[in-house]
Amino acid sequence: MLCQLASERDQDDVKQIEKRDSVLTSKQQIDRLLRPGSSYFNLNPFEVLQIDPEATDEELKKRFRALSILVHPDKNQDDPDRAQLAFEAVDKAYKNLLDPEQKKRAVDVIQAGREYVEHNMKEKKKQLKKDGKPQFLEEDDPEMFRQAVYKQTMKLFAELEIKRKEREAKDMHERKRAREEEIETAEKAKREREWQKNFEETRDGRVDSWRSFQAGKSKAKKEKKPRSFLKPPKVKMEQRE
């Protein structure tokens, strides 16, 4: 029952936000979509389009059409560059929500954020009861509850994005390392082929050189004269009388 009331309260809050933002001017919408930290705020496609996760496909389509026209560069020729960035954020959010898998992931993150806040509130009230203190929290106020869920949801989206970038960087490093190894293997194989080719092409020359060398040695042996040794003169022994 409490969860149902909380859900109904959240839906009412979202509808109020939609009503409020529906009257924003083009400039105000562009400022909202490009505010500081928008790279993380805009990770939540429902936040970008300011639409309830329970909205139908038709409601989603209408919201996208209205918002995309509002921030389109053609409608904001005095600030086309920022308008283009805002339009791209809206277009990306819409495409993400058209993808069932991406939409489910976003809904799961939002639900996780809400459950986290509700769990914390429950634990805080337990502690207050134990301490004999009034069990009232600022999150009991619908607006404060919405803000707490919003902050926790943004935190979860940011954490997921950081992890995604880390995985992407790791995968890129692995691909780069594999590519470098592939290039090194190819270059090594090329060097071996070139060496083998050169070896084959110079084989006849090496054989001819060896034969010439051997022939020269044989000729030298034949032409070599025997050594002559000088014999010492014979010494005559003198005869004594």
Side-chain angles (χ1 to χ4, degrees):
M1 182 65 178
L2 290 175
C3 291
Q4 183 179 356
L5 289 173
S7 179
E8 291 176 354
R9 177 180 59 188
D10 293 341
Q11 290 180 11
D12 291 340
D13 290 342
V14 170
K15 288 178 180 178
Q16 290 177 7
I17 294 171
E18 292 175 7
K19 184 177 180 180
R20 180 196 67 198
D21 288 345
S22 65
V23 298
L24 292 180
T25 64
S26 294
K27 183 180 183 306
Q28 288 171 330
Q29 285 288 6
I30 292 172
D31 289 342
R32 178 181 72 84
L33 293 166
L34 301 182
R35 65 195 185 279
S38 60
S39 60
Y40 285 103
F41 291 129
N42 292 347
L43 292 173
N44 182 353
F46 295 107
E47 166 65 19
V48 173
L49 299 177
Q50 288 294 292
I51 193 169
D52 181 58
E54 301 298 324
T56 65
D57 290 344
E58 186 61 29
E59 290 171 332
L60 175 62
K61 184 178 180 180
K62 288 181 179 179
R63 180 57 180 164
F64 165 71
R65 185 178 300 167
L67 191 54
S68 62
I69 291 174
L70 203 58
V71 301
H72 197 280
D74 291 345
K75 187 177 177 63
N76 299 274
Q77 296 184 8
D78 57 330
D79 194 5
D81 293 339
R82 295 181 75 247
Q84 180 64 36
L85 292 175
F87 177 81
E88 289 173 1
V90 171
D91 185 62
K92 181 179 179 181
Y94 179 61
K95 288 178 178 176
N96 282 343
L97 293 181
L98 288 180
D99 183 335
E101 185 177 343
Q102 293 285 348
K103 183 177 181 179
K104 182 179 183 305
R105 186 178 293 116
V107 170
D108 289 345
V109 173
I110 293 171
Q111 182 62 29
R114 180 180 293 112
E115 290 175 355
Y116 180 89
V117 173
E118 289 174 345
H119 174 74
N120 274 2
M121 290 176 65
K122 184 178 179 182
E123 292 299 313
K124 286 179 182 179
K125 289 188 175 184
K126 269 187 183 180
Q127 188 61 44
L128 289 172
K129 183 178 180 180
K130 184 178 180 182
D131 297 340
K133 297 179 180 179
Q135 299 175 45
F136 177 77
L137 301 172
E138 62 178 9
E139 290 89 348
D140 287 328
D141 178 83
E143 179 60 21
M144 298 303 294
F145 178 82
R146 185 193 69 79
Q147 290 183 19
V149 172
Y150 174 82
K151 290 177 182 178
Q152 183 58 32
T153 299
M154 289 300 99
K155 182 179 178 181
L156 292 176
F157 271 110
E159 289 175 352
L160 290 174
E161 178 65 7
I162 290 171
K163 289 180 180 179
R164 185 193 68 79
K165 288 183 177 180
E166 288 175 349
R167 288 195 303 270
E168 190 177 80
K170 183 178 179 181
D171 290 344
M172 185 179 296
H173 175 74
E174 290 297 324
R175 289 195 298 271
K176 181 181 178 182
R177 185 179 60 81
R179 179 57 181 162
E180 288 174 349
E181 290 180 355
E182 182 182 342
I183 292 173
E184 177 60 27
T185 300
E187 289 180 348
K188 183 179 179 181
K190 181 180 178 181
R191 289 194 298 268
E192 290 177 352
R193 289 194 302 270
E194 290 177 349
W195 183 89
Q196 186 65 30
K197 180 181 178 182
N198 183 62
F199 180 83
E200 294 293 337
E201 290 176 348
T202 58
R203 174 181 292 178
D204 293 341
R206 291 196 307 276
V207 171
D208 291 341
S209 297
W210 175 253
R211 287 174 178 169
S212 297
F213 174 72
Q214 292 290 22
K217 285 180 64 178
S218 299
K219 185 177 180 181
K221 284 182 179 180
K222 290 179 180 179
E223 294 176 352
K224 188 175 181 182
K225 296 180 179 180
R227 292 182 181 179
S228 60
F229 297 95
L230 295 176
K231 294 181 179 181
K234 292 182 179 181
V235 178
K236 293 183 179 181
M237 300 295 293
E238 294 183 358
Q239 293 181 354
R240 293 183 181 179
E241 292 182 354

